[in-house]
Amino acid sequence: MSEAMTINKHDIELLAPAGDWDCMRAAVANGANAVFFGVEKFNARARANNFKMDELPEIMAFLHLYGVKGFLTFNILVFEDELRDAQELIEACIDAGVDAVIVQDLGVVKMIRELSPDFPIHGSTQMTITSPEAVEFTKPWDIERVVLGRENNLKQIKAIGDQARLPMEVFVHGALCVSYSGQCLTSEMWGGRSANRGECAQACRLPYDLMVDGVHQPMGDVTYLLSPKDLAAVGLVPELIEAGVTSFKIEGRMKTPEYVANVVSKYRKAIDLYFEGSDERPSKEDVRELQQSFSRGFTNGFLTGTNNKQLVDGTFPKSRGVYLGRVSKILNDAVVLELEAPLKRGDGIVFDAGDPTKKEEGGRVYDVRRNGIKLEEEAQDGVVELVPGRNNVNLNRVHVGDKVWKTNDPALDKRLRATFERGGPFRISPVHIKVRGKLGEPLQTWWTDIETGYTVSVDSELMLEAAQKRPMNDELFMEQLGRLGGTVYELESLDAELEGDLIVPMRELNALRRTAVEMLEDARQVPREYVKNSHGSEPYQVYADAAKSEQQPNLLHNRAAAKLTALCRNIDQVHAALAADIDLVYADFEFIKQFPAAVEAARAAGKRIALATPRIHMPGETGYFNNILKLKPDAVLVRNTGALYYFMKYSAEHPEVKMPELIGDFSLNVANHKTASLFLQTGLSKFTPSYDLNIQQMVYLLQRCETAKAEVVIHQHMPMFHTEHCVYCTFLSEGTDYTNCGRPCEEQRVSLQDRIGMSHPVRVDEGCRNTVYNAVDQSGAEYINYFMELGVSSYRVEFLEETPDKVSEVLDLYVRAIAGEITGNQVWKSLKATNQLGVTRGQLVKWGRVDTME
């Protein structure tokens, strides 16, 4: 508490979502300090209503009038052909005085700094920032705030803040992604809508069957194995403040304005109570109202540590609302249940039989009775008879034991709407007035906006005259100048000094008041000014730094230079790969204790070996990187910015040590040449393009970057989800996390079978994190010649569960394809693999020569 007591209330920000104007008004009216919103393109909620780019000045003027900050979400990957549009939006944000942009793509970060040295950037949770090292990585680009991964717990949050010393934003309420943000490829792979592009199809909310060692495991009504409950940390506000969280972020740009009003008001209350010194925690009614707006069941997420059993319920994937109880008896026109929450006529209800394949019965409550007598008031508890609307619910489809949920409370919605639908100001700010006057001179007034400290001076047009009857005094000034209704101000204090008994007409005081308020409000709405970098007489060109080869493509030369690499996931695969005609073997094992055998085998075979880092790096996990260095591999496959920072720092501090080559993997999300350039400049020797790119987008990228430093993955089982949630622990053990689960992952193999019968393997890494891989492997062999024309010389084949014989067969096919002995079509047809690059196939318009953007 002692550290937190040094924090002032104004240091803590309550950050609310706004998908439209009503949501924005609801956020402001209910106490948000800042609002995040998106425009029609370039944000992670593409299906929200969003705003238009030309609305930015109006949005910022509205927010700043109430002393609220506005952050624009730019939290998606940006493809090469979109960079000019991205530049246009960033320039519009700078001109409109947007308080910050929330960015995922490091190429966009690079672009912003080329446009302006001081325009504020917030690192999105889509950057997968989960460690102090990942925060440190952002500092050369002056990112002023980071949004931590939802998987960080309170202890880790504090460790990150103590070490990295950068303001931290943390999600405290709303939907939880089962996958690490920025590391989910499922939506686009299976649904054609990328989570990295703001179009998540929510594949995690679908039912799956659990397959254990290839056999179906009966789970009863538990079928939503990847669908987490919703985050609700309103009861942890003191702990979050004391852990160093400076911004409390509420998820929900696709939610209703009533939801925004409800959630913002609850967190506003909790924060205010903390700074008032109160130990009061949210009441039952507070929690019920939060559940009523939206809830799949509440959890603290990972904030209080990993508890896989509490994170995923598995019985339903969508909002249920407030639990009322179970049906104990069915009457002709009603059901009987014992209430666990209040209920009244007009509330919305649904009957949940626990079978997700069957249609649910639901509608409005027509009456509530007790012992056959209709209740006029809300029933708080006890046994009641719930009478549904006659045309809403078929009681023949309702069963004893069914759960009953209250899905809607019209009275609550009405109360919430009243906070933001009123026509008057949504928030009031204090003003101080100083009045001075002498006979024969104008009445002088100074008006100070106490929140901003800004002062304006306004004098009367008429001169002060001697009062014959009722001279002006403090009471009159308080009454006349304090008539600020309908404005954003209220008079807090007044200091008046007049020399003698003086007077001016009342209309002068009214005019003074109107003019002063207008000036103060205008001052609040002046756009914040930022420095713009000078680019000489030419405007900034987003492609000015793109690397372009002056040489004509030489397919024969490039084919001779092409090399094949193989990523293996067990030692038997490594031995098979080392026997093939390849340049480099990657070892990507579940446990680091298996790495020495791979290094030894590579040394014996005279081949180069690379070791892969985990995709996620948490505080205190740098020992993993140190152990990799001790094994002295030829290269490291770097999968997160925390790892990259560690290796860069180690190299700088130990110049005498020969460092391995650093190769960036797909999880660094390189989708345009600026991101590629940034990573190459910070120490990578090669980069792997993002799997979000289809073939056309890949070509656009490769046309603009150093293709000799690109490695393209041309065969793999696509890694779909990467998650802190452990399927093995949740469904195959009695434990809650890795400390007590008994490690069933070492004895059994799990896969998730989808609705069409495909079983997707689930594998565990050193940090007990799960990756769900696509059931069918895919091949980009068809595109090898096009990549060669562009100068790509490194091609990777990734294995998952293949036998050594299969590894040899696959590598032989790709070696022959690269040599031009067989076609790409022959490769993927021979392997019976999906003919696809990345998560979508895409298309090239001109197959004779590669398309350009010009």
Side-chain angles (χ1 to χ4, degrees), residues 217 306-310 726-744 748:
Q217 177 103 344
T306 300
N307 187 322
N308 288 289
K309 292 286 195 294
Q310 290 183 1
C726 183
V727 173
Y728 289 84
C729 175
T730 307
F731 303 114
L732 295 183
S733 84
E734 297 299 319
T736 57
D737 64 14
Y738 72 94
T739 65
N740 55 26
C741 68
R743 302 187 74 82
Q748 297 169 299

PDB file of all heavy atoms in Angstrom, residues 217 306-310 726-744 748:
ATOM      1  N   GLN A 217     -12.672 -38.897 -26.275  1.00  0.00           N
ATOM      2  CA  GLN A 217     -12.835 -38.869 -24.819  1.00  0.00           C
ATOM      3  C   GLN A 217     -14.191 -38.267 -24.496  1.00  0.00           C
ATOM      4  O   GLN A 217     -14.416 -37.076 -24.710  1.00  0.00           O
ATOM      5  CB  GLN A 217     -11.725 -38.014 -24.197  1.00  0.00           C
ATOM      6  CG  GLN A 217     -11.834 -37.864 -22.692  1.00  0.00           C
ATOM      7  CD  GLN A 217     -10.845 -38.750 -21.951  1.00  0.00           C
ATOM      8  OE1 GLN A 217     -10.309 -39.666 -22.525  1.00  0.00           O
ATOM      9  NE2 GLN A 217     -10.627 -38.473 -20.690  1.00  0.00           N
ATOM     10  N   THR A 306      -2.522 -18.716 -13.030  1.00  0.00           N
ATOM     11  CA  THR A 306      -3.164 -19.630 -13.967  1.00  0.00           C
ATOM     12  C   THR A 306      -4.022 -20.640 -13.228  1.00  0.00           C
ATOM     13  O   THR A 306      -3.543 -21.344 -12.333  1.00  0.00           O
ATOM     14  CB  THR A 306      -2.106 -20.380 -14.796  1.00  0.00           C
ATOM     15  OG1 THR A 306      -1.323 -19.431 -15.523  1.00  0.00           O
ATOM     16  CG2 THR A 306      -2.758 -21.349 -15.769  1.00  0.00           C
ATOM     17  N   ASN A 307      -5.296 -20.691 -13.584  1.00  0.00           N
ATOM     18  CA  ASN A 307      -6.204 -21.716 -13.087  1.00  0.00           C
ATOM     19  C   ASN A 307      -7.043 -22.174 -14.272  1.00  0.00           C
ATOM     20  O   ASN A 307      -8.066 -21.578 -14.600  1.00  0.00           O
ATOM     21  CB  ASN A 307      -7.090 -21.187 -11.959  1.00  0.00           C
ATOM     22  CG  ASN A 307      -7.924 -22.284 -11.309  1.00  0.00           C
ATOM     23  OD1 ASN A 307      -8.413 -23.187 -11.982  1.00  0.00           O
ATOM     24  ND2 ASN A 307      -8.088 -22.216  -9.995  1.00  0.00           N
ATOM     25  N   ASN A 308      -6.559 -23.226 -14.936  1.00  0.00           N
ATOM     26  CA  ASN A 308      -7.200 -23.668 -16.168  1.00  0.00           C
ATOM     27  C   ASN A 308      -8.636 -24.119 -15.951  1.00  0.00           C
ATOM     28  O   ASN A 308      -9.476 -23.953 -16.830  1.00  0.00           O
ATOM     29  CB  ASN A 308      -6.381 -24.803 -16.781  1.00  0.00           C
ATOM     30  CG  ASN A 308      -5.077 -24.312 -17.387  1.00  0.00           C
ATOM     31  OD1 ASN A 308      -5.075 -23.641 -18.412  1.00  0.00           O
ATOM     32  ND2 ASN A 308      -3.968 -24.621 -16.739  1.00  0.00           N
ATOM     33  N   LYS A 309      -8.924 -24.650 -14.766  1.00  0.00           N
ATOM     34  CA  LYS A 309     -10.282 -25.120 -14.494  1.00  0.00           C
ATOM     35  C   LYS A 309     -11.267 -23.960 -14.430  1.00  0.00           C
ATOM     36  O   LYS A 309     -12.413 -24.066 -14.855  1.00  0.00           O
ATOM     37  CB  LYS A 309     -10.299 -25.880 -13.161  1.00  0.00           C
ATOM     38  CG  LYS A 309      -9.540 -27.203 -13.176  1.00  0.00           C
ATOM     39  CD  LYS A 309     -10.306 -28.274 -13.953  1.00  0.00           C
ATOM     40  CE  LYS A 309      -9.758 -29.667 -13.674  1.00  0.00           C
ATOM     41  NZ  LYS A 309      -8.392 -29.876 -14.151  1.00  0.00           N
ATOM     42  N   GLN A 310     -10.839 -22.839 -13.859  1.00  0.00           N
ATOM     43  CA  GLN A 310     -11.723 -21.686 -13.738  1.00  0.00           C
ATOM     44  C   GLN A 310     -11.809 -20.891 -15.040  1.00  0.00           C
ATOM     45  O   GLN A 310     -12.807 -20.214 -15.286  1.00  0.00           O
ATOM     46  CB  GLN A 310     -11.238 -20.767 -12.614  1.00  0.00           C
ATOM     47  CG  GLN A 310     -11.425 -21.336 -11.223  1.00  0.00           C
ATOM     48  CD  GLN A 310     -11.003 -20.374 -10.138  1.00  0.00           C
ATOM     49  OE1 GLN A 310     -10.571 -19.258 -10.410  1.00  0.00           O
ATOM     50  NE2 GLN A 310     -11.110 -20.806  -8.884  1.00  0.00           N
ATOM     51  N   CYS A 726      -4.057 -24.559 -20.926  1.00  0.00           N
ATOM     52  CA  CYS A 726      -3.567 -25.906 -21.202  1.00  0.00           C
ATOM     53  C   CYS A 726      -4.720 -26.891 -21.267  1.00  0.00           C
ATOM     54  O   CYS A 726      -5.391 -27.152 -20.259  1.00  0.00           O
ATOM     55  CB  CYS A 726      -2.556 -26.343 -20.150  1.00  0.00           C
ATOM     56  SG  CYS A 726      -1.873 -27.984 -20.508  1.00  0.00           S
ATOM     57  N   VAL A 727      -4.944 -27.441 -22.444  1.00  0.00           N
ATOM     58  CA  VAL A 727      -6.006 -28.421 -22.640  1.00  0.00           C
ATOM     59  C   VAL A 727      -5.715 -29.688 -21.842  1.00  0.00           C
ATOM     60  O   VAL A 727      -6.610 -30.308 -21.263  1.00  0.00           O
ATOM     61  CB  VAL A 727      -6.156 -28.738 -24.144  1.00  0.00           C
ATOM     62  CG1 VAL A 727      -7.141 -29.878 -24.368  1.00  0.00           C
ATOM     63  CG2 VAL A 727      -6.601 -27.491 -24.903  1.00  0.00           C
ATOM     64  N   TYR A 728      -4.454 -30.077 -21.788  1.00  0.00           N
ATOM     65  CA  TYR A 728      -4.072 -31.290 -21.047  1.00  0.00           C
ATOM     66  C   TYR A 728      -4.418 -31.148 -19.569  1.00  0.00           C
ATOM     67  O   TYR A 728      -5.009 -32.036 -18.959  1.00  0.00           O
ATOM     68  CB  TYR A 728      -2.568 -31.541 -21.196  1.00  0.00           C
ATOM     69  CG  TYR A 728      -2.136 -31.988 -22.565  1.00  0.00           C
ATOM     70  CD1 TYR A 728      -1.901 -31.073 -23.578  1.00  0.00           C
ATOM     71  CD2 TYR A 728      -1.955 -33.342 -22.847  1.00  0.00           C
ATOM     72  CE1 TYR A 728      -1.496 -31.482 -24.843  1.00  0.00           C
ATOM     73  CE2 TYR A 728      -1.548 -33.767 -24.112  1.00  0.00           C
ATOM     74  CZ  TYR A 728      -1.323 -32.833 -25.100  1.00  0.00           C
ATOM     75  OH  TYR A 728      -0.925 -33.250 -26.352  1.00  0.00           O
ATOM     76  N   CYS A 729      -4.021 -30.015 -18.985  1.00  0.00           N
ATOM     77  CA  CYS A 729      -4.278 -29.780 -17.563  1.00  0.00           C
ATOM     78  C   CYS A 729      -5.778 -29.709 -17.280  1.00  0.00           C
ATOM     79  O   CYS A 729      -6.278 -30.300 -16.322  1.00  0.00           O
ATOM     80  CB  CYS A 729      -3.592 -28.492 -17.117  1.00  0.00           C
ATOM     81  SG  CYS A 729      -3.947 -28.004 -15.423  1.00  0.00           S
ATOM     82  N   THR A 730      -6.515 -28.994 -18.132  1.00  0.00           N
ATOM     83  CA  THR A 730      -7.932 -28.751 -17.879  1.00  0.00           C
ATOM     84  C   THR A 730      -8.762 -30.027 -17.938  1.00  0.00           C
ATOM     85  O   THR A 730      -9.628 -30.259 -17.085  1.00  0.00           O
ATOM     86  CB  THR A 730      -8.486 -27.736 -18.896  1.00  0.00           C
ATOM     87  OG1 THR A 730      -7.667 -26.570 -18.884  1.00  0.00           O
ATOM     88  CG2 THR A 730      -9.912 -27.337 -18.557  1.00  0.00           C
ATOM     89  N   PHE A 731      -8.481 -30.867 -18.929  1.00  0.00           N
ATOM     90  CA  PHE A 731      -9.393 -31.983 -19.187  1.00  0.00           C
ATOM     91  C   PHE A 731      -8.801 -33.368 -18.920  1.00  0.00           C
ATOM     92  O   PHE A 731      -9.533 -34.364 -18.961  1.00  0.00           O
ATOM     93  CB  PHE A 731      -9.895 -31.906 -20.637  1.00  0.00           C
ATOM     94  CG  PHE A 731     -10.578 -30.602 -20.948  1.00  0.00           C
ATOM     95  CD1 PHE A 731     -10.032 -29.705 -21.850  1.00  0.00           C
ATOM     96  CD2 PHE A 731     -11.759 -30.259 -20.308  1.00  0.00           C
ATOM     97  CE1 PHE A 731     -10.659 -28.494 -22.131  1.00  0.00           C
ATOM     98  CE2 PHE A 731     -12.391 -29.053 -20.575  1.00  0.00           C
ATOM     99  CZ  PHE A 731     -11.839 -28.165 -21.491  1.00  0.00           C
ATOM    100  N   LEU A 732      -7.493 -33.444 -18.620  1.00  0.00           N
ATOM    101  CA  LEU A 732      -6.885 -34.755 -18.365  1.00  0.00           C
ATOM    102  C   LEU A 732      -6.258 -34.861 -16.982  1.00  0.00           C
ATOM    103  O   LEU A 732      -5.508 -35.791 -16.704  1.00  0.00           O
ATOM    104  CB  LEU A 732      -5.815 -35.058 -19.426  1.00  0.00           C
ATOM    105  CG  LEU A 732      -6.298 -35.217 -20.868  1.00  0.00           C
ATOM    106  CD1 LEU A 732      -5.144 -35.596 -21.780  1.00  0.00           C
ATOM    107  CD2 LEU A 732      -7.404 -36.244 -20.966  1.00  0.00           C
ATOM    108  N   SER A 733      -6.520 -33.874 -16.121  1.00  0.00           N
ATOM    109  CA  SER A 733      -5.947 -33.935 -14.783  1.00  0.00           C
ATOM    110  C   SER A 733      -6.896 -33.292 -13.786  1.00  0.00           C
ATOM    111  O   SER A 733      -7.851 -32.618 -14.172  1.00  0.00           O
ATOM    112  CB  SER A 733      -4.586 -33.220 -14.746  1.00  0.00           C
ATOM    113  OG  SER A 733      -4.757 -31.827 -14.562  1.00  0.00           O
ATOM    114  N   GLU A 734      -6.604 -33.485 -12.507  1.00  0.00           N
ATOM    115  CA  GLU A 734      -7.365 -32.842 -11.449  1.00  0.00           C
ATOM    116  C   GLU A 734      -6.737 -31.519 -11.045  1.00  0.00           C
ATOM    117  O   GLU A 734      -7.269 -30.800 -10.205  1.00  0.00           O
ATOM    118  CB  GLU A 734      -7.430 -33.766 -10.214  1.00  0.00           C
ATOM    119  CG  GLU A 734      -8.157 -35.074 -10.449  1.00  0.00           C
ATOM    120  CD  GLU A 734      -9.608 -34.866 -10.851  1.00  0.00           C
ATOM    121  OE1 GLU A 734     -10.256 -33.971 -10.266  1.00  0.00           O
ATOM    122  OE2 GLU A 734     -10.088 -35.569 -11.763  1.00  0.00           O
ATOM    123  N   GLY A 735      -5.589 -31.203 -11.632  1.00  0.00           N
ATOM    124  CA  GLY A 735      -4.856 -30.002 -11.251  1.00  0.00           C
ATOM    125  C   GLY A 735      -5.378 -28.748 -11.917  1.00  0.00           C
ATOM    126  O   GLY A 735      -6.286 -28.782 -12.757  1.00  0.00           O
ATOM    127  N   THR A 736      -4.771 -27.622 -11.541  1.00  0.00           N
ATOM    128  CA  THR A 736      -5.187 -26.326 -12.079  1.00  0.00           C
ATOM    129  C   THR A 736      -4.113 -25.668 -12.931  1.00  0.00           C
ATOM    130  O   THR A 736      -4.410 -24.804 -13.741  1.00  0.00           O
ATOM    131  CB  THR A 736      -5.536 -25.367 -10.922  1.00  0.00           C
ATOM    132  OG1 THR A 736      -4.399 -25.246 -10.051  1.00  0.00           O
ATOM    133  CG2 THR A 736      -6.729 -25.890 -10.133  1.00  0.00           C
ATOM    134  N   ASP A 737      -2.834 -26.048 -12.736  1.00  0.00           N
ATOM    135  CA  ASP A 737      -1.749 -25.493 -13.535  1.00  0.00           C
ATOM    136  C   ASP A 737      -0.591 -26.481 -13.561  1.00  0.00           C
ATOM    137  O   ASP A 737      -0.711 -27.622 -13.107  1.00  0.00           O
ATOM    138  CB  ASP A 737      -1.308 -24.119 -13.008  1.00  0.00           C
ATOM    139  CG  ASP A 737      -0.716 -24.184 -11.597  1.00  0.00           C
ATOM    140  OD1 ASP A 737      -0.404 -25.296 -11.122  1.00  0.00           O
ATOM    141  OD2 ASP A 737      -0.570 -23.122 -10.978  1.00  0.00           O
ATOM    142  N   TYR A 738       0.550 -26.041 -14.089  1.00  0.00           N
ATOM    143  CA  TYR A 738       1.677 -26.959 -14.300  1.00  0.00           C
ATOM    144  C   TYR A 738       2.262 -27.496 -12.991  1.00  0.00           C
ATOM    145  O   TYR A 738       2.927 -28.537 -12.985  1.00  0.00           O
ATOM    146  CB  TYR A 738       2.774 -26.251 -15.108  1.00  0.00           C
ATOM    147  CG  TYR A 738       3.520 -25.191 -14.339  1.00  0.00           C
ATOM    148  CD1 TYR A 738       4.713 -25.494 -13.688  1.00  0.00           C
ATOM    149  CD2 TYR A 738       3.037 -23.889 -14.253  1.00  0.00           C
ATOM    150  CE1 TYR A 738       5.400 -24.519 -12.970  1.00  0.00           C
ATOM    151  CE2 TYR A 738       3.709 -22.918 -13.538  1.00  0.00           C
ATOM    152  CZ  TYR A 738       4.889 -23.232 -12.900  1.00  0.00           C
ATOM    153  OH  TYR A 738       5.565 -22.275 -12.188  1.00  0.00           O
ATOM    154  N   THR A 739       1.989 -26.827 -11.872  1.00  0.00           N
ATOM    155  CA  THR A 739       2.571 -27.267 -10.598  1.00  0.00           C
ATOM    156  C   THR A 739       1.872 -28.490 -10.022  1.00  0.00           C
ATOM    157  O   THR A 739       2.443 -29.195  -9.187  1.00  0.00           O
ATOM    158  CB  THR A 739       2.519 -26.130  -9.549  1.00  0.00           C
ATOM    159  OG1 THR A 739       1.151 -25.831  -9.242  1.00  0.00           O
ATOM    160  CG2 THR A 739       3.216 -24.886 -10.057  1.00  0.00           C
ATOM    161  N   ASN A 740       0.641 -28.752 -10.455  1.00  0.00           N
ATOM    162  CA  ASN A 740      -0.097 -29.848  -9.840  1.00  0.00           C
ATOM    163  C   ASN A 740      -0.875 -30.703 -10.838  1.00  0.00           C
ATOM    164  O   ASN A 740      -1.744 -31.491 -10.452  1.00  0.00           O
ATOM    165  CB  ASN A 740      -1.064 -29.298  -8.786  1.00  0.00           C
ATOM    166  CG  ASN A 740      -2.009 -28.237  -9.342  1.00  0.00           C
ATOM    167  OD1 ASN A 740      -2.306 -28.214 -10.523  1.00  0.00           O
ATOM    168  ND2 ASN A 740      -2.471 -27.335  -8.470  1.00  0.00           N
ATOM    169  N   CYS A 741      -0.579 -30.550 -12.122  1.00  0.00           N
ATOM    170  CA  CYS A 741      -1.359 -31.269 -13.139  1.00  0.00           C
ATOM    171  C   CYS A 741      -0.889 -32.704 -13.343  1.00  0.00           C
ATOM    172  O   CYS A 741      -1.601 -33.510 -13.953  1.00  0.00           O
ATOM    173  CB  CYS A 741      -1.324 -30.522 -14.469  1.00  0.00           C
ATOM    174  SG  CYS A 741       0.308 -30.525 -15.252  1.00  0.00           S
ATOM    175  N   GLY A 742       0.335 -33.040 -12.876  1.00  0.00           N
ATOM    176  CA  GLY A 742       0.854 -34.381 -13.096  1.00  0.00           C
ATOM    177  C   GLY A 742       1.424 -34.593 -14.484  1.00  0.00           C
ATOM    178  O   GLY A 742       1.813 -35.708 -14.836  1.00  0.00           O
ATOM    179  N   ARG A 743       1.459 -33.550 -15.284  1.00  0.00           N
ATOM    180  CA  ARG A 743       2.055 -33.530 -16.620  1.00  0.00           C
ATOM    181  C   ARG A 743       1.551 -34.674 -17.521  1.00  0.00           C
ATOM    182  O   ARG A 743       2.334 -35.500 -18.005  1.00  0.00           O
ATOM    183  CB  ARG A 743       3.579 -33.546 -16.530  1.00  0.00           C
ATOM    184  CG  ARG A 743       4.127 -32.369 -15.728  1.00  0.00           C
ATOM    185  CD  ARG A 743       5.628 -32.280 -15.778  1.00  0.00           C
ATOM    186  NE  ARG A 743       6.090 -31.789 -17.063  1.00  0.00           N
ATOM    187  CZ  ARG A 743       6.130 -30.499 -17.407  1.00  0.00           C
ATOM    188  NH1 ARG A 743       5.720 -29.567 -16.560  1.00  0.00           N
ATOM    189  NH2 ARG A 743       6.578 -30.135 -18.586  1.00  0.00           N
ATOM    190  N   PRO A 744       0.242 -34.722 -17.780  1.00  0.00           N
ATOM    191  CA  PRO A 744      -0.278 -35.740 -18.708  1.00  0.00           C
ATOM    192  C   PRO A 744       0.268 -35.570 -20.124  1.00  0.00           C
ATOM    193  O   PRO A 744       0.241 -36.524 -20.910  1.00  0.00           O
ATOM    194  CB  PRO A 744      -1.796 -35.510 -18.665  1.00  0.00           C
ATOM    195  CG  PRO A 744      -1.964 -34.098 -18.197  1.00  0.00           C
ATOM    196  CD  PRO A 744      -0.833 -33.858 -17.249  1.00  0.00           C
ATOM    197  N   GLN A 748       0.547 -38.632 -22.936  1.00  0.00           N
ATOM    198  CA  GLN A 748      -0.558 -38.753 -23.887  1.00  0.00           C
ATOM    199  C   GLN A 748      -0.474 -37.655 -24.945  1.00  0.00           C
ATOM    200  O   GLN A 748       0.174 -36.623 -24.753  1.00  0.00           O
ATOM    201  CB  GLN A 748      -1.902 -38.662 -23.143  1.00  0.00           C
ATOM    202  CG  GLN A 748      -2.116 -39.802 -22.146  1.00  0.00           C
ATOM    203  CD  GLN A 748      -3.303 -39.562 -21.234  1.00  0.00           C
ATOM    204  OE1 GLN A 748      -3.338 -38.596 -20.482  1.00  0.00           O
ATOM    205  NE2 GLN A 748      -4.303 -40.455 -21.307  1.00  0.00           N
TER     206      GLN A 748
END
